[in-house]
Every structure is written in structure tokens, then in C-alpha cells.
Amino acid sequence: MSTNAKPYKETLNLPVTRFEMKANLTAREPKIQARWREEDLYGQIRQARSGCEAKVLHDGPPYANGEIHMGHLLNKVLKDIVVRSLTMQGYDSPYVPGWDCHGLPIEHKVVKDLGAKAATMSHAEIRALCQKDALKWVDLQRDQFRRLGVSGDWDNPYLTLDPRYEAGILDVLADLIEGGYVFRQLKPIHWCITDRTALAEAELEYKDESTPSIYVNFPMVSGVPAEWGDGPWHAMIWTTTPWTLPANVAIAAHPDLEYVGLRYVDPATGATVHTILAAALVAKVMGLRQVTQFEEVGRVRGRELEHAEYRHAFIDRVSPIVLAGYVTVEDGTGLVHTAPGHGTEDYQTGRTYQLPTLSPVDASGRYTTEAPEHLVGQGVFQANPKIVAMLKESGHLFHDVTFVHSYPHCWRCKKPVIFRATEQWFIGVDRNDLRGRTLKQIDAVRWLPAWGRARIDAMVGGRPDWCISRQRSWGVPIPALGCETCQTQLLTAETVRHFRDLFRREGADAWYTKPVDELLPAGAVCPKCGGTTFRKEGDILDVWFESGSSHRGVLSKDFNLGYPAFMYLEGSDQHRGWFQSSILTAVGSTGRAPFETVLTHGFVVDEKGEKMSKSVGNTISAVKATEQYGADVLRLYAASMDYADDVRMSERGIKEMSEAYRKIRNTFRYLLGNLEDYAGFDPNSVAPETLHAIDRWALGQFNSVIRDVRAAYEEFEFYRVYQRIYQFCSVELSSFYLDVLKDRLYAESPKGPDRRAAQFVLARLHDGLTRLLAPIIPHTAEELWELSPSGASRPASVHLAEFPQPDPAFDDEARDHVWQRLLAVRTEVLRELEKLRSAKVIGSAQEASVRLGSDDPEMSSLLEHNRDLLTTMAIVSEIEVGGSAPPDSARGQELPALWVHASRSSHAKCERCWNLRPEVGRSEAHPTLCARCERVISERNTNGA
RNA sequence: CGGCACGUAGCUCAACGGUUGAGAGCAUCCGGCUGAUAACCGGACGACGGCGGUUCAACUCCUCCCGUGCCGACCA
């Protein structure tokens, strides 16, 4: 016999597995994904679940622009976990991803890149470039989403530029027109008078501009407190855009501000003037012209001035004083000149008070005939000084200076822009009680978290009519026909459906490429004047209307996913965005919400909880992070946090998650390492009674894990899935059960009942945990599935399988109660072993011998009945129970009734299993072995192993 | 400025309004093992954003403040 080796070591069943400790996800994941594609796993899943109850998560389309970022990652991973977990619960849960392809950002970029050339190009040509750009990003983002392991019908996504989808949009529009919701109305928009075009917010460049700043007294007609005396009274307004005064139809005051009736002597004319302005601004305003003689006549709150009337300074028109919350005393007089045709807030106030929206300015910025006669035909900026002069002449002007402030300019021609009211298309939120009916539907939807309901409720409850027209190129045209005779716009359900069918056949480009005669529906006649000559109007639809119509094109029509959807899942910003545009168009066209459940998540923020932004430099690239750490690590990271609130992500966090991933991976490596020779083994051949008590306990614990995890998935609380599984792996398994099992797995006969019993548990854990983790770490789960020792009857992919079910045979509440006590005893024992270790008396627990006892009869009995079990649980060589407590024994910290005495065992160490046993040395054949090991060795020899 | 949320150890999660000690896991530090080894085991350290209030009792309810996020308003 050779002496240089450890001959007995070779007789142990040490772990062996192909499952590598090093995950190398970066290389492994793409291979797994490639195979999924080759085998059309998504198609297989569809087939396997066909006929099952459907639960469809409808994808909100991300904007096709730029690389995906952490926000996309969070959103798509959460969706994927929902879809995969629904699938594993046995539902049919198809996932059709989509992209929002139209819209300003793409058009803006394309036009900007074209430079001056853009002006020479047709709509159709520009649209072609936009389409190319959008599709480029769709391809890129698709690859990036796929790399995250998101499962779905990536070869057939829905694109808002798809003719079928465009047809769906018009289908919804036609329904809404039929329902009487759609109308035209004036609305102020940014307008460049040089380029004669509408401008979006993104096309404005703010820079300093000198404008007149004038203080004007408008004569009051009524509503001045009688005790202030005769006056005549005025209201003093301030404006930096005198040219908008012709459109003045109100003066706004703040309801809570104090206003004074002021009598002052004009230093230039010596005249006594009575005027009203904010109390807080009297000194400042009077100081502008060094007015020294002024006195307060009386005071009122703004709200008391509501409905008081004044006469326009140079137009024969009486208008009211109104209230508005945005009035401040930072500048001006606290009384705001209000021209709904020339400002957004003024417009809103105008809606509230039903004021007319005047806009006596044409596309070139010249006054129209609606303006006072002497202004007609003049450019608005040129008119500024004339109006000032006129006010001065008539004595209405109090003061006039030049004011420099930030003012919007056209991004193209760099000239100052104006606000100009133009006819726009609207959806009337209060027509046919759309608002009320939507609120009812909101109430019937399940909002997660629950506060989402109140949030969207308030938004819908308070929102104005929805302006759905835009003066752009890159979108779906509103197929309105303008009557050349009377200028009426022809847009009916019938005409829109005509164009719906056309767009479906040829795409929306047809609107731009075909002459109007070819587009015209047969027999189109102007309903007003009977005219038959039309022109194409140029507006497109708001992109929110497009994406908000996805319930038609994607759920109801071509993708046939079923209406309504089970779930919409987006960031909480979509309460105002997609959730709202979807439910409004859906209620307007179908009468009900397009979703049953709306799940929202917070935003990805940095380590400190602050938002990620490129300028701050605290962003993390989702693409790079995936390349570096692997999709499963990032998926686990996303799943580990409570997404109801904002989600903090950092480089360090990802690193920590890699460690957690490794721990899970190592747990599986241990399981598989001890299952290598279990492959093909029939678990049914394990007689249940051969399971040890600790095995039954472990499976009972696992039952509880299965129940908790299934419940967490059903409630979409994935962080609970992660926490539960991770802590089970760490606490119950790694540091206890798996540690305890080593002796049995390594040292017992390979095929003996004791080892087989342990392997049965390990196999069950492996199978169950793999399934439970599959929605979160699909790649790793698939890798584990392939190495599974389970029989041939299981599906080829874990993603075709279902979640495990708990086995009630292993539930035993009374036992779990006893085990809690036993584990507490174990903790006390371990504490004593630690003392021996610090004192260098022992190294491993196996070198220890322990005596336990208690004065408490119940505890005493517990110890006596479970002596062997406790020995196993503590992995010590020997436990003795009873007798009197030695003087140097310790009292339990958690269990004061318990005393523990630990010492170094006096027995010799078995060379094979390292336990210290009294019988070691007694055998002649194997003097260095314990009895158990000698038995195992002889069995091996008998079996010819 | 307004609406809606959130704020427990360095990190991620716990804790029916109530047992003197607010639990875990990870990270960190210390130690053990060397037959899960770029592993494994044990121990220690460590927190309720702040001031008030309600209550016999508050992490848990309320006011305010501070911080953070989303949405909106704003620049006449």
C-alpha cells in the first residue's frame, strides 16, 4: 500500500459537476439566446399555452430614438418578469413589443441635419428620411432588448409607422368623430412670422431680447367699491408685448392678493388719477416715475374684483376682471393683461371664463381686419411703438421703458417668435360626458400601487380639452379636406374611414404623395356650401393620440391579443401620458378602459436617489453594464428592488448584485455537484420513510418558499421573490442544511438509502428553485435546467415549464415548532464552539464534544429525544445529554434554561470522514477509520466498486 | 409655486399602534476550515430624515420642516 496519497479520500463522493462556478454570462447568454431563436422558443411557448386562459401584458411603445438606458432596462425587465411568471403560472401570455416611431424628436433631428436643404424638400422626402432614422433605432433597440433576455415576438413588433397601425389610429379617430367628440377651435401656438410656420417648444431658442415694458391705465366701468368715491377709476396693467393689446379681453387678478385703490398726481401733467394695482407694488410702480403725491383710498382682495368691468384703452369694448392663480407681484402691477389668443395661460383663463380668443394677426405677423383700422396690415413688432405712442397720446400710458428679458426665438431663422391663435382639432373631454365616463372606468381598473388611481383621477378630472393636431410632417396626417369655396374642413367618420382603408393599403405616405383628386372619397361634397373642390390640410395627429390608439391596432385588430388587455406596465410619468391617452381614446371609442390592471414603477435614480442625467454625469449605460456584468445580474438587480418607489442603481450596486448572483450560483453548483450520479435516477424509487427528519424539514421549508414566491409573483412583488429565495439559499440551505448534508453525501455509500434520500431532496430543490428563478434569471435557469438530473418527462426548456407546487406531505406545523427550538439550541451550541475556536482548542466543529442539559423538564425532554439530530445539526462528533451542569458550562443566551458545555473530543479522528469517534483504531483492517466508514468501504469492495 | 409619492443599518428588504433587545441577508471587520476552494462556516459592528402632536403605548396615525422623484404651472 502506497503511503504518499490519502487513499481513503478517493473513496469519498466529492462533488463533481459541469456547472462552472464562473458564470461568464457575457459569453454564455448570447449563446443561449441564439439557441432560443433557432428553436423558436417563443413560438413553442405560444403553442404550449394555446387554449389556456390568456393574460396579456400590452407593451407601451418606447420612442425609437437613442440607445436604451436604465429606465428602459427596468421597464422591459419588469415586463418580462411579469410575462414569464404568468406563463409559468399556466397562462397564455404573449408579448408583442412595440415602438413609437413618429414625432418631433426624429423630425427635428432629420431637419436639423439637412440644414437649409430641408426647405427645398417635400413632406414625402423628409418623411422618408424620418422613417429610415426611426427604423434604424428600432433595430438597434430591438437587439439591446433582446440582449437583456426579454422574451417576445421580436420578429413581428408593432410599429406606429406600420400602415396597419396607422389604419388603427384612424379607426379610433373615426369612432371619436362619430361620437361627437372632435371639433375645431382657436388655440395659441408658437409661431414664426418669418418662416410662417408653427413651432414646437423644442424648436425655440431662448435669448435675451429688448422689448417695451409699459404700464397702462384701463378705465373701469363697474365693480369699483362705492366707498372709494367717483374717480374716475382705472386698473393698471403691465405688458411687454403692446402688440397683443388689441386682443385683450380681460384683466387677471390673484384672488388672495391685496389690491389698493390709489389716488396719485401725475408728475408730468399734474393731473390726479385714480387707479387700482397690487398693494405690494405701489411703492415700486410709483417710484418708476418718481410720483411723490399718492395716497391709498381703499383696499380689496383680488377675489372681490372678479367680474368688475373695464373699457379697453383704444377699442370700444367692455371686458371683465378675472381671477388666475398664476398672477404674482414679482413684476408689473399685479393685474395681468389677458389675451387668450396670444398666450397659453391667457388661453386657459379664457377657457375658464368663456372669453373670446381673438387673434387679429395673420401668418406673416400682420394685423388683420379684425384689428383696429389704423393697425391693419402692419407687422406686430413694428406696431409696438405705434401702440405705445397711441396710449401716450390718449393719456392711458402711465410709464414706458425698455425691458430686457429672455424671449423665445425661432431655431431656424433666429427671429423672435409670437403666440398666435390658430384653428386646431380638439377632443372635447366634456362632450358626451367623456370625462365622467372615463373617471368611472378609472375606478374599475386595478391600479398598482393603489395611489395611481387618485393620481390619474386628479389628472383626468382637471385636464382641458385635448388638442390632437400638430403642424408637423412626421406623423399620421389628420385627413381633413379643406373646401376651396368656403374654407370648411371636411372630416367625418365616413371620410376618415375612407382614408383608414387607404392608409392600410398604401400607408399614410399616400396622403403626401398623391394629388388631392386621387385621394378624394367618391362623391365628396362640402356639407356647408356643396363645393366639390378640396385641398389637403397639413396637420398631423398628436403622437400621444397615436400611441394611445394601440388598443385598437394591437389589442383588437392585427395582433389580436384580446381587448381589453390584462395589464399595462409603465413608469409613473405615464399617468399623464400613455395611460391617459389610452383610456380616453378607448372610452371614447369603445366605452371601456383598455386595461384591467395598471402597474407603475418609479424612475431609475443614482446612488444618492437623484435623477440620472448626462450633464451631471451620474448615468450608467445599460448597454455597457449588460456587456460587463451580464443580463441576468442586471435582471436580478432590477428584480431585487421595490419598483413602486424610485429605484436606485449604481455601479457599486451592480457589483454587489454580482456577488449575490454568485452565491445563488454556488448554491446550485453544490446541488449539481452532488447530483452528478443521480442523473436518470427515478425519485419515486426513494422510499419516503428513508428520508431523514432533517430532509423532511428541509422540504417543508421549501414548501413555504414555494408558497411565498408564488404569492409574490402573483402580486408582482418581485423583490420578495428575490429576498425569499436568496435568504433561503443563504440561511436554510448554504449555512445549515447543505453544510449538514456533507457528511451523508460525501461519506455514505453512493447508492445507499441515506445518500439517495439526500439527493432526492437536492434534486427537488434544484428543480423547484430553477423554475422559481426562471422569470428573473432566464439564462441561468436554462443552463441549470439542462443539467437537471430530473427524468425525461419534463419540457425541453424551463420556460415551457410551470412553477413548482408545494408537496403537503412535507408540511408539519408541530414539527416546525420543535425545529425552531432545536435550531435555537444549535445556535447556543455554536456559540460555545466559537469560544473553543478562539481559544485554539478546536478548529472544525467535528473536533468538539458537547454536553447539554436543562432544569426545565420540557427542554430536557426535547434534548433527550433529539440528541442524534442535534449532533448532526451542529456537525459535532458527539453530544451527550443530561447529568448536572459542569461548573464551566455556559447558560444559553436565548434559552436561559439550557446549559451547554463544549470541549475537545477525546476520541481519535476518522481519516476518511474526519469525525472523532471512540471506535477509531479498533479495526485491524482499517485502523484509522470509524465504524461507518469501514462499513462503507467494505460495501464498495463487495460491489466491486 | 401646485398636485402625487417616497425617506428603517454602507446596500437591498422586514416589523397586526403594544411583549425590556426594530429583524434578515449582503457589504465591512475579526476568526475558522482547506473534501462547495476566485468557495464554505462562525462571530462582531451597525438604522427608524428632523421638530412637535394624538395615545396608557408610535417605525407604525396627524401637522409642519428638510431631502428626493414624477407630473404640472411659470417667464404676461
Side-chain angles (χ1 to χ4, degrees):
Chain A
M1 182 180 279
S2 143
T3 53
N4 61 346
K6 297 175 181 169
Y8 291 123
K9 178 168 178 176
E10 285 157 27
T11 70
L12 291 169
N13 321 300
L14 293 178
V16 181
T17 177
R18 292 163 287 157
F19 186 67
E20 292 170 46
M21 183 181 307
K22 191 163 165 33
N24 199 6
L25 294 177
T26 322
R28 208 184 296 271
E29 287 171 346
K31 284 183 197 157
I32 295 172
Q33 289 165 359
R35 214 185 55 232
W36 285 341
R37 274 178 88 166
E38 274 164 34
E39 297 169 355
D40 186 24
L41 178 60
Y42 179 79
Q44 285 187 53
I45 295 170
R46 293 283 63 76
Q47 208 162 8
R49 289 290 181 275
S50 88
C52 297
E53 186 188 339
K55 283 199 176 180
V56 176
L57 185 156
H58 175 40
D59 191 36
Y63 195 65
N65 195 14
E67 293 210 322
I68 66 165
H69 51 65
M70 279 295 179
H72 289 112
L73 183 146
L74 176 69
N75 177 258
K76 276 291 198 278
V77 166
L78 290 176
K79 283 172 177 166
D80 193 45
I81 295 173
V82 169
V83 168
R84 288 180 184 275
S85 63
L86 287 172
T87 301
M88 294 191 76
Q89 287 166 46
Y91 297 107
D92 183 20
S93 187
Y95 178 66
V96 175
W99 272 276
D100 190 358
C101 302
H102 290 138
L104 184 68
I106 289 174
E107 182 178 344
H108 192 258
K109 197 175 70 181
V110 165
V111 172
K112 206 168 189 174
D113 290 349
L114 284 170
K117 212 170 129 200
T120 68
M121 294 174 71
S122 69
H123 281 291
E125 287 170 317
I126 288 179
R127 284 169 59 88
L129 290 173
C130 289
Q131 167 151 346
K132 200 176 150 201
D133 191 64
L135 291 177
K136 179 187 83 186
W137 291 114
V138 166
D139 281 341
L140 182 88
Q141 292 191 350
R142 168 165 39 203
D143 286 348
Q144 295 176 339
F145 287 141
R146 273 185 149 145
R147 179 62 191 84
L148 295 174
V150 178
S151 167
D153 196 356
W154 292 106
D155 294 326
N156 301 291
Y158 77 89
L159 306 180
T160 59
L161 56 69
D162 184 322
R164 295 175 300 169
Y165 190 95
E166 291 174 331
I169 296 167
L170 290 195
D171 202 40
V172 173
L173 180 62
D175 286 355
L176 292 173
I177 292 169
E178 199 162 58
Y181 301 104
V182 180
F183 63 96
R184 267 167 90 69
Q185 190 176 74
L186 283 172
K187 179 182 190 275
I189 56 173
H190 287 290
W191 189 269
C192 176
I193 58 178
T194 312
D195 298 332
R196 302 165 58 101
T197 180
L199 292 171
E201 188 67 35
E203 293 172 320
L204 302 177
E205 293 176 355
Y206 286 84
K207 53 185 179 189
D208 281 350
E209 181 78 15
S210 289
T211 60
S213 165
I214 60 171
Y215 296 74
V216 185
N217 278 317
F218 277 41
M220 294 299 295
V221 172
S222 70
V224 178
E227 63 271 24
W228 290 4
D230 278 347
W233 284 95
H234 300 81
M236 190 187 288
I237 60 100
W238 175 69
T239 182
T240 57
T241 52
W243 66 267
T244 63
L245 285 174
N248 172 288
V249 292
I251 293 174
H254 193 286
D256 300 326
L257 277 180
E258 275 203 306
Y259 291 85
V260 300
L262 192 75
R263 179 163 54 220
Y264 68 89
V265 177
D266 189 301
T269 63
T272 298
V273 185
H274 297 74
T275 196
I276 304 170
L277 74 165
L281 290 163
V282 169
K284 190 170 164 187
V285 171
M286 290 298 111
L288 287 169
R289 285 190 53 212
Q290 288 87 39
V291 177
T292 50
Q293 300 177 59
F294 61 91
E295 63 176 323
E296 188 177 318
V297 177
R299 283 196 179 217
V300 286
R301 289 277 166 196
R303 67 177 78 258
E304 295 169 59
L305 291 171
E306 188 179 21
H307 304 309
E309 292 174 306
Y310 67 93
R311 186 179 303 282
H312 195 284
F314 54 84
I315 296 172
D316 184 17
R317 183 162 68 217
V318 171
S319 301
I321 290 185
V322 297
L323 302 180
Y326 53 79
V327 176
T328 69
V329 291
E330 274 173 38
D331 284 307
T333 61
L335 290 173
V336 175
H337 151 55
T338 298
H342 295 305
T344 306
E345 284 193 324
D346 297 23
Y347 174 73
Q348 278 156 9
T349 303
R351 301 310 311 151
T352 308
Y353 284 90
Q354 315 231 313
L355 302 171
T357 304
L358 304 184
S359 186
V361 175
D362 70 12
S364 310
R366 291 181 215 286
Y367 285 109
T368 66
T369 51
E370 288 170 44
E373 207 175 326
H374 53 284
L375 293 173
V376 174
Q378 299 205 26
V380 293
F381 293 122
Q382 288 72 46
N384 267 339
K386 292 185 181 162
I387 289 174
V388 174
M390 189 168 73
L391 290 167
K392 196 166 190 174
E393 185 74 16
S394 65
H396 292 95
L397 188 74
F398 170 72
H399 188 54
D400 156 33
V401 287
T402 298
F403 187 72
V404 178
H405 62 147
S406 173
Y407 191 89
H409 294 70
C410 174
W411 67 309
R412 206 180 283 115
C413 69
K414 313 296 180 191
K415 301 260 175 57
V417 304
I418 65 170
F419 257 113
R420 173 172 173 260
T422 56
E423 291 269 332
Q424 301 291 336
W425 290 101
F426 285 83
I427 290 173
V429 184
D430 292 310
R431 298 199 169 193
N432 197 12
D433 196 26
L434 179 58
R435 191 193 308 273
R437 291 189 297 133
T438 302
L439 290 173
K440 275 205 189 89
Q441 286 296 312
I442 285 172
D443 203 46
V445 169
R446 182 185 181 206
W447 299 90
L448 299 173
W451 49 257
R453 171 179 285 114
R455 186 169 152 98
I456 191 168
D457 200 83
M459 286 173 175
V460 170
R463 69 158 299 151
D465 286 338
W466 180 3
C467 179
I468 57 168
S469 49
R470 296 289 184 274
Q471 291 66 53
R472 316 291 328 166
S473 299
W474 185 225
V476 173
I478 297 175
L481 298 162
C483 174
E484 293 284 21
T485 317
C486 71
Q487 310 307 318
T488 299
Q489 300 253 329
L490 180 62
L491 187 75
T492 67
E494 289 69 36
T495 62
V496 171
R497 284 179 185 136
H498 165 79
F499 287 107
R500 170 198 65 194
D501 297 339
L502 175 70
F503 286 11
R504 193 176 174 83
R505 288 193 307 271
E506 303 180 22
D509 283 332
W511 180 260
Y512 297 95
T513 53
K514 297 207 166 185
V516 67
D517 295 343
E518 284 178 43
L519 290 169
L520 229 46
V525 175
C526 174
K528 197 169 172 190
C529 70
T532 53
T533 331
F534 295 93
R535 65 169 181 278
K536 293 184 280 183
E537 295 295 335
D539 290 1
I540 62 166
L541 282 161
D542 177 13
V543 288
W544 286 110
F545 189 91
E546 291 193 27
S547 59
S549 298
S550 64
H551 51 78
R552 181 66 49 93
V554 182
L555 293 177
S556 312
K557 293 272 162 108
D558 293 295
F559 294 88
N560 199 27
L561 294 176
Y563 184 88
F566 167 66
M567 176 181 281
Y568 278 31
L569 193 176
E570 306 297 334
S572 56
D573 55 334
Q574 300 303 334
H575 284 118
R576 181 160 296 275
W578 191 52
F579 300 149
Q580 197 179 138
S581 62
S582 294
I583 198 169
L584 282 171
T585 57
V587 173
S589 62
T590 74
R592 71 146 299 159
F595 33 67
E596 291 165 355
T597 301
V598 173
L599 188 58
T600 52
H601 56 79
F603 276 65
V604 176
V605 294
D606 74 3
E607 206 164 1
K608 296 177 205 147
E610 290 176 13
K611 73 166 149 196
M612 290 189 171
S613 82
K614 279 177 198 150
S615 56
V616 177
N618 59 349
T619 56
I620 301 173
S621 160
V623 175
K624 278 186 195 155
T626 307
E627 279 167 11
Q628 191 176 347
Y629 295 96
D632 277 1
V633 166
L634 286 160
R635 293 177 61 109
L636 194 61
Y637 193 30
S640 73
M641 293 179 286
D642 183 357
Y643 58 78
D645 196 5
D646 288 337
V647 165
R648 294 184 186 210
M649 288 192 161
S650 62
E651 192 79 24
R652 198 183 55 166
I654 301 173
K655 281 195 183 114
E656 284 177 6
M657 193 46 64
S658 309
E659 294 297 315
Y661 172 86
R662 281 227 315 241
K663 177 76 182 185
I664 292 172
R665 199 174 168 91
N666 258 310
T667 303
F668 277 106
R669 187 172 143 85
Y670 179 92
L671 298 179
L672 287 171
N674 292 101
L675 288 168
E676 190 78 358
D677 63 334
Y678 198 67
F681 188 81
D682 178 9
N684 293 322
S685 69
V686 175
E689 63 271 17
T690 64
L691 291 181
H692 293 202
I694 196 170
D695 300 334
R696 290 192 294 272
W697 169 85
L699 290 173
Q701 293 294 301
F702 188 48
N703 275 349
S704 134
V705 171
I706 293 172
R707 291 192 183 97
D708 290 349
V709 167
R710 290 190 68 126
Y713 273 122
E714 280 164 29
E715 287 151 38
F716 312 108
E717 292 177 353
F718 311 129
Y719 62 95
R720 276 175 50 209
V721 172
Y722 163 78
Q723 294 275 344
R724 191 70 177 87
I725 292 180
Y726 188 58
Q727 298 206 13
F728 180 66
C729 285
S730 284
V731 182
E732 276 89 0
L733 294 185
S734 184
S735 64
F736 177 54
Y737 182 66
L738 300 185
D739 208 24
V740 164
L741 234 40
K742 284 175 186 169
D743 183 72
R744 220 192 314 164
L745 288 167
Y746 298 173
E748 285 293 347
S749 290
K751 295 176 184 166
D754 296 319
R755 183 159 181 276
R756 285 308 192 204
Q759 285 179 309
F760 169 71
V761 179
L762 297 190
R764 192 174 158 76
L765 289 172
H766 175 274
D767 179 80
L769 287 171
T770 300
R771 293 171 193 251
L772 290 176
L773 283 167
I776 295 177
I777 47 173
H779 310 91
T780 306
E782 192 74 317
E783 190 188 352
L784 286 165
W785 190 256
E786 283 161 29
L787 298 171
S788 168
S790 308
S793 61
R794 75 206 168 95
S797 163
V798 66
H799 304 295
L800 289 160
E802 296 192 16
F803 283 140
Q805 296 286 354
D807 184 344
F810 301 111
D811 290 330
D812 185 342
E813 252 184 77
R815 173 206 59 204
D816 289 345
H817 230 81
V818 172
W819 270 77
Q820 271 189 1
R821 304 271 289 164
L822 293 174
L823 286 165
V825 172
R826 172 179 179 265
T827 301
E828 302 291 356
V829 171
L830 260 37
R831 205 191 314 275
E832 287 309 297
L833 296 184
E834 190 58 27
K835 286 184 194 163
L836 293 187
R837 230 174 245 129
S838 312
K840 306 288 177 195
V841 176
I842 61 166
S844 77
Q846 285 169 305
E847 291 165 18
S849 172
V850 176
R851 277 187 63 200
L852 297 174
S854 175
D855 315 326
D856 175 36
E858 187 268 321
M859 170 70 77
S860 215
S861 146
L862 179 80
L863 299 176
E864 277 160 28
H865 282 95
N866 296 287
R867 191 183 68 107
D868 290 346
L869 183 51
L870 284 166
T871 311
T872 308
M873 286 170 72
I875 322 183
V876 293
S877 286
E878 183 176 48
I879 288 184
E880 288 179 77
V881 171
S884 53
D888 55 341
S889 66
R891 281 280 155 185
Q893 287 185 12
E894 304 293 325
L895 303 171
L898 176 79
W899 57 261
V900 183
H901 182 264
S903 59
R904 187 180 172 88
S905 169
S906 57
H907 306 310
K909 181 176 178 179
C910 169
E911 186 189 334
R912 184 165 175 274
C913 72
W914 295 349
N915 288 307
L916 277 63
R917 297 283 184 232
E919 71 273 15
V920 174
R922 289 182 197 160
S923 162
E924 288 186 19
H926 301 284
T928 60
L929 293 191
C930 69
R932 186 268 310 271
C933 287
E934 185 171 14
R935 187 197 83 229
V936 172
I937 292 284
S938 65
E939 281 171 14
R940 275 172 65 91
N941 294 339
T942 310
N943 296 341

